[in-house]
Structure formats: C-alpha cells, structure tokens
Amino acid sequence: SMPLRETPPLPFPSFYGDRRNQFKSHIDYIKLLCTSETFDVGEDVFLVSVDNPNVLSPPWVQGPIFACSNSVKVSGVLAGASAELFRRDSLGTVTSEGVALGGPFGDVSFVLQSSVQLGDVFWAVQSLGGQTSGQGREEPSQEYPEVELPEPRITQPVYACADQIGLHTQLQGVDAQVWKNAGSASWVPVPGTWNGFSPPQVPWTAGDIFHAQTRLCQKESKKVTVEAAPTPTTLKSAQFWTPPGVTSAGEIFDGQEYLLLDDLDNGAFARVSLVQTPSLLLGDTNTDPEGGTLVLHLPSSPLGRNAKVGDAFSAVAQFACGSSTGAPTISTGVLPCSSLPAPRIVFPREGDRFITLRTFVPGARIRVYRASTGAEIADGAGPRVALAPPNVLGAQEKIRVVQQLGTCVGTQAFEVTTGAAQ
C-alpha cells in the first residue's frame, strides 16, 4: 500500500493527553482514506454469507468528551437498533442516559441528564431483534485546555426564503445559539459538530443578519455573522444520492430504507413523490445542517415500507417561499437485490478491532467474515464498524465484507488481506 505522510505535531498536545496517539492515528487514517491509490487493495468475490444472530458489533462513543458538555454522540448503530448510553461517575455509580434509534449513517445523539463532570466515563450498547451487543469501548471525560473556543461556521450562502441554518461548531459537545438581527436565542446542546437551527420569523428576507456563538463551561466563542443573500432565480435540480466509487448516480436498491438527495442549494428542500402514483407525496425533506444531503425515511412516509423493485421516485427542489423551483429529477428505479454491490473499506491492519468504511449504501447493515473459517466477526453500521469482542484482526488475515438492506443480503463481498500493524 502507499506509505502515509506523517501527521505534523498537533497544536495543543495537552488537549489530547495520553490519547494523542489515537488522534494522530485517526488523522493518518483520514489521509489514507483520501489517497485514491490505496482504495482498491482488495477485490470483489462471490459470497453466500450466513448470519450469526449472536454477533452484534458494539457501538462506540465519540470522543473527546469535555467536562461541562451537555451532549454526547454515539456511532456504529444499526438502522432501527436501540442504542443505550451509560455513564459511570467518579464514585463508581452507573446510570443510563437513555435510548436512541439508529439512522442511515450509524450515528445517534444524546442530550445528557446533567453536564459532564471530570471523572465521568461513557460507553454504549445496542440491541436489535432481541440481541444485545457487548459493551463498547469506554470514553473518559477530560478537561478542555486553556485555549479559546474555535469560532463556529455558518453554512453559506444563507438565502432568503430558507428556513434552516446549518452550523458547524468545530468542537464536539458544545452548546450553541443562532439568532437573527437584534433578536434573542437560547443555548442548544450540539452532540456532534453540526446542527440545524431555525431562528424565528421564517422565511427570511435578503439583508437579514444572522449571528452564531458556542460555549463550553465558562468559555464563549467569538460571535460570527452572515448576511442573507437573495434567493436564486433558478435552483439546482435535486439528485438522488448514492455512495461514490461503487454505484452509479441515482441508484436505489431493493430493500433500501432511506432515500437521500444531494446537490441542492443551501436552505432548499426537496419534495419527493412516487412516480407510479404522483399524487402520493412522500414528504418534504429539509436541508441537512451541513448544507448537503437530505434524508427521507420511507417506512415513516405515506409509502409505509422500504423501496422495492418496480418503484421509481421523483424529486423537485424548492424554497419555503415557492418563488423558484428546480427541474424534476426521476430516479433510475429500484434495482434488484442481485445488483447490490460490495462495500469498500480502508486498508485494514493487523491488530485492528474495527474496520473503516469508505463507501456503503446508507442504512445498510455491514457484516465482516473471516475468509479462512467463514466466521462472522462484525455486524454493525456507519463509517466505522467495531469487531464483536474479543475479535481482533490477525497478521496477513483475509476478511470479507458484505452489506445488507432489509432482507436483501448482497452476494458481492469485498475481500482484502490485512497489512502489517502500524
């Protein structure tokens, strides 16, 4: 595989403490992910996989978790699975922070019952179909360093007639507020680093001024300001989104639970209908906080089920004012289960206890098998899937990765051999 360029020294070593090496490894994996020559280090093979119902990957709590945070994000959760977050305080008392259901990308968010204290430790489990995973890795809290909070970023441009603002806090677990002109706002916990805000009096007009700020403990970031621009006369057409690299644009598969749309103007929404029954409006999907992909959960829509062969969907982009529209986009229809491709993963290493996905169908269940024995060692979701304990990848070990949508299990597996430990 292509050698990695080393990550330069971090700006705040004390910020990560003894977890500095973990963060550095994460950055190096991102570099690996972004280096196209290292992507296809395996090959597609035919595989009729057998599910082991006793194998369920544990979810993992995203860190770092800072003292004073009011929210936590958990990843690796299967669509429809129940994730439960636990906290152990400095006295050893364990409490549950509640339960959340998994979505298309494996992430769930928790607003905590009380602020994080130094000494708190968090972990999570997930349950699906009567099976509960083992405990995910523990994530201890830590103190934020003596540096300023990074300034948040408002997704731009902000258009008149939009009804939501995307905010990138740049720091996980902070509280944030967004307000318009001289108005007021309330602090809201942000479990990850993105969130959508709807300041009052929407839709907005050109020239409105929006402000945003974050806080953690007694620290407050600098305020950022953006002015609303006039709504574009012609909107971009909504595009049905599929993972790059493996599938073609607009492909939807049998058993797919979520429809995703992309390439919209910031602040627009998409109106989705079933082509066979144009009067059946499936829903209006609002702009994702990142200003990108929109998500429609088909079983929760009037359709009431996952996509199936014979379906076709249309979408049209609009703003809340209805003053401008985009051209309708019609999908290529729903492809049969036999067309479901293998997912792709980042080059795995000896000693890894997880795999990192670079492409998969949103909402898919990701399963990992040892090629030598056929044993299932992981069953999870999202961009990173933990191996079910006590599994760990061995030296020069060949593994196979498949994905599943509903009852459709792909027969194309991505086969790859592990590299040397880093």
Side-chain angles (χ1 to χ4, degrees), residues 22-68:
Q22 292 183 20
F23 181 80
K24 182 177 181 297
S25 295
H26 169 72
I27 295 299
D28 287 339
Y29 265 118
I30 294 299
K31 288 181 178 177
L32 184 62
L33 190 67
C34 296
T35 307
S36 60
E37 292 87 348
T38 67
F39 279 172
D40 296 318
V41 293
E43 61 179 350
D44 286 351
V45 297
F46 179 78
L47 176 67
V48 178
S49 58
V50 178
D51 178 39
N52 182 347
N54 296 318
V55 174
L56 188 60
S57 295
W60 50 281
V61 176
Q62 290 192 12
I65 298 176
F66 297 113
C68 298

Coordinates of all heavy atoms in Angstrom, one line a residue, residues 22-68:
Q22 N -3.9 8.2 19.6 CA -5.2 7.7 19.0 C -5.6 8.8 18.0 O -6.1 8.5 16.9 CB -6.2 7.5 20.0 CG -5.9 6.3 20.9 CD -7.1 6.1 21.9 OE1 -8.2 6.6 21.7 NE2 -6.8 5.4 23.0
F23 N -5.5 10.1 18.3 CA -6.0 11.1 17.4 C -5.1 11.2 16.2 O -5.6 11.3 15.1 CB -5.9 12.5 18.1 CG -6.4 13.6 17.3 CD1 -7.7 13.9 17.1 CD2 -5.4 14.4 16.6 CE1 -8.1 14.9 16.3 CE2 -5.9 15.5 15.8 CZ -7.2 15.7 15.6
K24 N -3.8 11.0 16.4 CA -2.8 11.0 15.3 C -3.1 9.9 14.3 O -3.1 10.0 13.1 CB -1.4 10.9 15.8 CG -0.3 10.9 14.7 CD 1.1 10.9 15.3 CE 2.1 11.0 14.3 NZ 2.1 9.8 13.4
S25 N -3.4 8.7 14.9 CA -3.8 7.5 14.0 C -5.1 7.8 13.2 O -5.2 7.4 12.1 CB -4.0 6.3 14.9 OG -2.8 5.9 15.5
H26 N -6.0 8.5 13.9 CA -7.2 8.9 13.2 C -7.0 9.8 12.0 O -7.5 9.6 10.9 CB -8.2 9.6 14.2 CG -9.4 10.2 13.5 ND1 -10.4 9.5 13.0 CD2 -9.7 11.5 13.3 CE1 -11.3 10.4 12.5 NE2 -10.9 11.6 12.7
I27 N -6.1 10.8 12.2 CA -5.7 11.7 11.1 C -5.0 10.9 10.0 O -5.3 11.1 8.8 CB -4.9 12.8 11.6 CG1 -5.6 13.7 12.6 CG2 -4.3 13.7 10.5 CD1 -6.9 14.4 12.0
D28 N -4.2 10.0 10.4 CA -3.4 9.2 9.3 C -4.4 8.3 8.5 O -4.2 8.1 7.3 CB -2.4 8.4 10.0 CG -1.2 9.2 10.4 OD1 -1.0 10.3 9.9 OD2 -0.4 8.8 11.3
Y29 N -5.4 7.8 9.2 CA -6.4 7.0 8.5 C -7.2 7.9 7.6 O -7.6 7.5 6.5 CB -7.4 6.4 9.5 CG -7.0 5.0 9.9 CD1 -6.7 4.6 11.2 CD2 -7.0 4.0 8.9 CE1 -6.3 3.3 11.5 CE2 -6.6 2.7 9.2 CZ -6.3 2.3 10.5 OH -6.0 1.1 10.8
I30 N -7.5 9.2 8.0 CA -8.2 10.1 7.1 C -7.4 10.3 5.8 O -7.9 10.4 4.7 CB -8.5 11.4 7.8 CG1 -9.5 11.2 8.9 CG2 -9.1 12.4 6.8 CD1 -10.9 10.6 8.4
K31 N -6.0 10.5 6.0 CA -5.1 10.6 4.8 C -5.2 9.4 4.0 O -5.2 9.5 2.7 CB -3.7 10.9 5.3 CG -3.5 12.3 6.0 CD -2.1 12.4 6.4 CE -1.8 13.8 7.0 NZ -0.4 14.0 7.4
L32 N -5.2 8.2 4.6 CA -5.3 7.0 3.8 C -6.6 7.0 3.0 O -6.7 6.6 1.9 CB -5.2 5.8 4.8 CG -5.2 4.4 4.1 CD1 -4.0 4.3 3.2 CD2 -5.2 3.3 5.2
L33 N -7.7 7.4 3.7 CA -9.0 7.4 3.1 C -9.0 8.3 1.9 O -9.7 8.1 0.9 CB -10.0 7.9 4.1 CG -11.5 7.8 3.8 CD1 -11.9 6.3 3.7 CD2 -12.3 8.5 4.8
C34 N -8.3 9.4 1.9 CA -8.3 10.4 0.8 C -7.2 10.1 -0.2 O -7.1 10.9 -1.1 CB -8.1 11.8 1.4 SG -9.4 12.3 2.5
T35 N -6.5 9.1 -0.1 CA -5.5 8.7 -1.1 C -6.0 7.6 -2.0 O -6.0 6.5 -1.6 CB -4.2 8.3 -0.4 OG1 -3.8 9.2 0.5 CG2 -3.0 8.1 -1.4
S36 N -6.5 8.0 -3.2 CA -7.2 7.1 -4.1 C -6.4 5.8 -4.4 O -7.0 4.7 -4.6 CB -7.6 7.8 -5.3 OG -6.5 8.2 -6.1
E37 N -5.1 5.9 -4.4 CA -4.3 4.7 -4.8 C -4.4 3.6 -3.8 O -4.1 2.4 -4.1 CB -2.8 5.1 -5.0 CG -2.5 6.0 -6.1 CD -2.7 7.5 -5.8 OE1 -3.2 7.8 -4.7 OE2 -2.3 8.3 -6.6
T38 N -4.8 3.9 -2.6 CA -4.9 2.9 -1.5 C -6.3 2.3 -1.4 O -6.5 1.4 -0.6 CB -4.5 3.5 -0.2 OG1 -5.5 4.4 0.2 CG2 -3.2 4.1 -0.2
F39 N -7.3 2.8 -2.2 CA -8.7 2.3 -2.0 C -8.8 0.9 -2.4 O -9.3 0.1 -1.6 CB -9.6 3.2 -2.9 CG -9.9 4.5 -2.3 CD1 -10.6 5.4 -3.0 CD2 -9.5 4.8 -1.0 CE1 -10.9 6.7 -2.4 CE2 -9.8 6.0 -0.4 CZ -10.6 6.9 -1.1
D40 N -8.5 0.5 -3.6 CA -8.9 -0.8 -4.1 C -7.7 -1.8 -3.9 O -7.1 -2.3 -4.8 CB -9.2 -0.7 -5.6 CG -10.5 0.1 -5.8 OD1 -11.4 0.0 -5.0 OD2 -10.5 0.9 -6.8
V41 N -7.5 -2.1 -2.6 CA -6.4 -3.0 -2.3 C -7.0 -4.4 -2.1 O -6.2 -5.4 -1.8 CB -5.7 -2.6 -0.9 CG1 -5.0 -1.3 -1.1 CG2 -6.8 -2.5 0.2
G42 N -8.3 -4.6 -2.4 CA -8.9 -5.9 -2.3 C -9.6 -6.2 -3.7 O -9.4 -5.5 -4.7
E43 N -10.5 -7.1 -3.6 CA -11.3 -7.5 -4.8 C -12.6 -8.0 -4.5 O -12.9 -8.4 -3.3 CB -10.5 -8.6 -5.6 CG -10.3 -9.9 -4.9 CD -9.6 -10.9 -5.7 OE1 -9.4 -10.7 -6.9 OE2 -9.2 -12.0 -5.1
D44 N -13.6 -7.9 -5.4 CA -14.9 -8.4 -5.2 C -14.9 -9.9 -5.4 O -14.4 -10.4 -6.4 CB -15.9 -7.7 -6.2 CG -16.2 -6.3 -5.7 OD1 -15.8 -5.9 -4.6 OD2 -16.8 -5.6 -6.5
V45 N -15.6 -10.6 -4.5 CA -15.8 -12.1 -4.7 C -17.2 -12.4 -4.4 O -17.9 -11.7 -3.7 CB -14.8 -12.8 -3.7 CG1 -13.4 -12.6 -4.0 CG2 -15.2 -12.5 -2.2
F46 N -17.6 -13.6 -4.9 CA -19.0 -14.0 -4.7 C -19.0 -14.7 -3.3 O -18.2 -15.5 -3.0 CB -19.4 -15.0 -5.8 CG -20.8 -15.6 -5.6 CD1 -21.9 -14.9 -5.9 CD2 -21.0 -16.9 -5.0 CE1 -23.2 -15.4 -5.7 CE2 -22.2 -17.4 -4.9 CZ -23.3 -16.7 -5.2
L47 N -20.0 -14.4 -2.5 CA -20.1 -15.0 -1.2 C -21.6 -15.1 -0.8 O -22.4 -14.2 -0.9 CB -19.4 -14.1 -0.1 CG -19.6 -14.5 1.3 CD1 -18.8 -15.8 1.5 CD2 -19.1 -13.4 2.3
V48 N -22.0 -16.3 -0.4 CA -23.3 -16.6 0.2 C -23.0 -16.6 1.7 O -22.5 -17.6 2.2 CB -23.9 -17.9 -0.3 CG1 -25.2 -18.1 0.4 CG2 -24.1 -17.8 -1.8
S49 N -23.3 -15.6 2.4 CA -23.0 -15.4 3.8 C -24.1 -16.0 4.7 O -25.3 -16.0 4.3 CB -22.7 -14.0 4.2 OG -23.8 -13.2 3.9
V50 N -23.7 -16.4 5.8 CA -24.7 -16.9 6.8 C -24.6 -16.1 8.1 O -23.5 -15.9 8.6 CB -24.4 -18.4 7.2 CG1 -25.4 -18.9 8.3 CG2 -24.5 -19.3 6.0
D51 N -25.7 -15.5 8.4 CA -25.7 -14.6 9.6 C -25.7 -15.3 10.9 O -26.4 -16.3 11.1 CB -27.0 -13.7 9.6 CG -27.0 -12.8 10.8 OD1 -26.0 -12.2 11.2 OD2 -28.1 -12.6 11.3
N52 N -24.8 -14.9 11.8 CA -24.7 -15.5 13.1 C -25.5 -14.5 14.0 O -25.0 -13.4 14.3 CB -23.3 -15.6 13.6 CG -23.2 -16.2 15.0 OD1 -24.2 -16.3 15.7 ND2 -22.0 -16.6 15.4
P53 N -26.7 -14.9 14.5 CA -27.5 -13.9 15.3 C -26.9 -13.5 16.6 O -27.3 -12.6 17.2 CB -28.8 -14.7 15.5 CG -28.5 -16.1 15.3 CD -27.4 -16.2 14.3
N54 N -25.9 -14.3 17.0 CA -25.2 -13.9 18.3 C -24.1 -12.9 18.1 O -23.5 -12.5 19.1 CB -24.6 -15.2 18.9 CG -25.6 -16.2 19.2 OD1 -26.7 -15.9 19.8 ND2 -25.4 -17.5 18.9
V55 N -23.8 -12.5 16.9 CA -22.8 -11.5 16.6 C -23.5 -10.1 16.4 O -24.3 -10.0 15.4 CB -21.9 -11.9 15.4 CG1 -20.9 -10.7 15.1 CG2 -21.2 -13.1 15.7
L56 N -23.2 -9.2 17.2 CA -23.6 -7.8 17.0 C -22.5 -6.9 17.5 O -22.1 -6.9 18.7 CB -24.9 -7.6 17.9 CG -25.7 -6.3 17.6 CD1 -26.1 -6.1 16.2 CD2 -26.9 -6.2 18.6
S57 N -22.1 -6.0 16.6 CA -21.0 -5.1 17.0 C -21.4 -4.1 18.0 O -22.5 -3.5 18.0 CB -20.5 -4.4 15.7 OG -19.9 -5.3 14.8
P58 N -20.5 -3.8 19.0 CA -20.8 -2.7 19.9 C -20.7 -1.4 19.3 O -19.8 -1.2 18.5 CB -19.8 -2.9 21.0 CG -18.6 -3.6 20.3 CD -19.2 -4.4 19.2
P59 N -21.5 -0.4 19.7 CA -21.3 1.0 19.2 C -20.2 1.6 20.0 O -19.7 1.1 21.0 CB -22.7 1.6 19.5 CG -23.2 0.9 20.7 CD -22.7 -0.5 20.5
W60 N -19.8 2.8 19.5 CA -18.7 3.5 20.2 C -19.0 4.9 20.4 O -19.7 5.6 19.6 CB -17.4 3.3 19.4 CG -17.4 3.7 18.0 CD1 -17.9 2.9 16.9 CD2 -17.0 4.9 17.3 NE1 -17.8 3.6 15.7 CE2 -17.3 4.8 15.9 CE3 -16.4 6.1 17.8 CZ2 -17.0 5.8 15.0 CZ3 -16.1 7.1 16.9 CH2 -16.4 6.9 15.5
V61 N -18.6 5.4 21.6 CA -18.9 6.8 21.9 C -17.8 7.7 21.3 O -16.6 7.4 21.5 CB -18.9 6.9 23.5 CG1 -19.1 8.4 23.9 CG2 -20.0 6.1 24.1
Q62 N -18.2 8.7 20.6 CA -17.3 9.6 20.0 C -16.6 10.5 21.1 O -17.3 11.1 21.9 CB -17.9 10.5 19.0 CG -18.4 9.7 17.7 CD -18.8 10.7 16.6 OE1 -18.5 11.9 16.6 NE2 -19.4 10.1 15.6
G63 N -15.3 10.6 21.0 CA -14.6 11.5 21.9 C -13.9 12.5 21.1 O -13.9 12.5 19.9
P64 N -13.2 13.5 21.7 CA -13.2 13.6 23.2 C -14.5 14.2 23.8 O -15.2 14.9 23.1 CB -12.0 14.6 23.4 CG -12.0 15.5 22.2 CD -12.4 14.5 21.0
I65 N -14.7 13.8 25.0 CA -15.9 14.3 25.8 C -15.3 15.3 26.9 O -14.5 14.9 27.7 CB -16.7 13.2 26.5 CG1 -17.2 12.2 25.4 CG2 -17.8 13.8 27.3 CD1 -17.9 11.0 26.0
F66 N -15.7 16.5 26.8 CA -15.2 17.5 27.7 C -16.1 17.8 28.9 O -17.3 17.7 28.7 CB -15.0 18.9 26.9 CG -13.9 18.8 25.8 CD1 -14.3 18.9 24.5 CD2 -12.6 18.5 26.1 CE1 -13.4 18.8 23.5 CE2 -11.7 18.4 25.1 CZ -12.1 18.6 23.8
A67 N -15.5 18.1 30.0 CA -16.3 18.5 31.2 C -17.1 19.7 30.8 O -16.7 20.5 30.0 CB -15.3 18.8 32.3
C68 N -18.3 19.7 31.3 CA -19.3 20.8 31.1 C -20.2 20.5 29.8 O -21.2 21.2 29.6 CB -18.7 22.2 30.9 SG -17.9 22.7 32.4

